[in-house]
Every structure is written in C-alpha cells, then in structure tokens.
C-alpha cells in the first residue's frame, strides 16, 4: 500500500482495503466496546466500536459498505424535502 498524504481522500482501492481491515479488526480486536479519537487533532472524529445490541438508533440506519445487506428504509425523494 502506498504511503498517502493525510490530506487526500482514500482511493477506491484504499477504501476497500480499509473496509476489509475494519471487518478483521471488529471480528478479532473488539471484545465489547472500544472508543477512539482519530483524524486531525484540531478536527477529530470520534469512533465507537461495540457489540452492544441494539445499537444507538435503528439498526437499519447502519450501512454495510460494499454490500446490499440492509433494505432501504426511506422512500423519500431528495426533491420533496425528505
């Protein structure tokens, strides 16, 4: 994998690798929960990984990248304000 500068978005290939690593991380390194602060120190992103169920909100609100595992829950159109 290339050593990409931090100020560039991930390429499609990098995003797929990240997702694969994230699945492995979740399966092998998250016992019950894990909270992390990542990203730029002045604009951090807070990540919470957990095995608690149900998750915060509706489980159908969570997206599984690169898979059509979840059903569409909203039929609203972007043009109708919803």
């Amino acid at each position: 994998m290339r050593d990409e500068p931090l100020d560039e978005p991930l390429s499609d290939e990098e995003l797929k690798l990240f997702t694969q690593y994230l699945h492995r991380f979740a399966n092998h390194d998250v016992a019950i929960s894990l909270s992390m602060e990542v990203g730029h120190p002045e604009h951090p992103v807070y990540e919470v990984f957990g095995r608690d169920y149900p998750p915060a909100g509706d489980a159908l609100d969570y997206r599984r990248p690169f898979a059509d595992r979840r059903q569409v829950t909203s039929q609203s159109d972007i043009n109708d304000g919803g």
Side-chain angles (χ1 to χ4, degrees), residues 10-70:
L10 295 177
S11 68
D12 289 344
E13 179 183 344
E14 290 169 327
L15 182 59
K16 287 182 182 179
L17 282 172
F18 169 77
T19 303
Q20 290 171 355
Y21 290 140
L22 182 59
H23 281 277
R24 282 177 47 197
F25 174 75
N27 287 333
H28 299 286
D29 294 301
V30 179
I32 295 176
S33 67
L34 174 68
S35 300
M36 298 183 348
E37 178 184 315
V38 297
H40 194 281
E42 293 180 20
H43 306 285
V45 173
Y46 297 94
E47 298 286 341
V48 177
F49 299 94
R51 298 197 182 278
D52 297 335
Y53 193 81
D58 188 339
L60 294 175
D61 292 338
Y62 291 81
R63 185 174 86 103
R64 182 172 285 263
F66 309 112
D68 295 329
R69 180 173 89 89
R70 305 278 186 189

Side-chain angles (χ1 to χ4, degrees), residues 64-79:
R64 182 172 285 263
F66 309 112
D68 295 329
R69 180 173 89 89
R70 305 278 186 189
Q71 295 178 346
V72 176
T73 59
S74 174
Q75 298 298 325
S76 63
D77 187 309
I78 194 167
N79 297 319

